[in-house]
Amino acid sequence: MSIIVNLDVMMAKRKISSGELADKIGITQANLSILKTGKAKAVRFSTLEAICKALDCQPGDILEFRDEED
């Protein structure tokens, strides 16, 4: 997949656990795990906004595009 999810990196930088982040943004730990592993097919802007607010970051800190030809 050419979209890389760096959510675990940002969580480590902010020293926040999955459970704590899930509680702050109002989703289940299972759904957060799906996002963290890059297995999600989509992410709602409202969820992305909540993540960015909770982690004090930008969407580009969490999502990255890599060309698969590289």
Side-chain angles (χ1 to χ4, degrees), residues 12 15-16 18 21 24 26-27 29-30 32 40 44 49 52 54 59-60 64-65 68-69:
K15 297 181 173 127
I16 188 170
S18 293
L21 181 59
K24 281 187 174 189
I27 65 172
Q29 286 188 23
L32 183 60
R44 293 177 187 258
E49 179 182 359
C52 288
E64 175 185 350
F65 171 76
E68 290 189 3
E69 293 179 6

Side-chain angles (χ1 to χ4, degrees), residues 3 5 9-10 13 18 25 28-32 34 36 38-39 41 44 48 53 55 58-60 66-67:
I3 300 294
V5 180
V9 174
M10 286 307 300
K13 286 182 180 179
S18 293
I25 65 175
T28 65
Q29 286 188 23
N31 283 339
L32 183 60
I34 290 168
K36 283 176 45 178
K39 294 181 181 178
K41 299 291 182 194
R44 293 177 187 258
L48 185 58
K53 282 182 180 179
L55 297 177
Q58 295 294 313
R66 286 191 198 155
D67 195 351

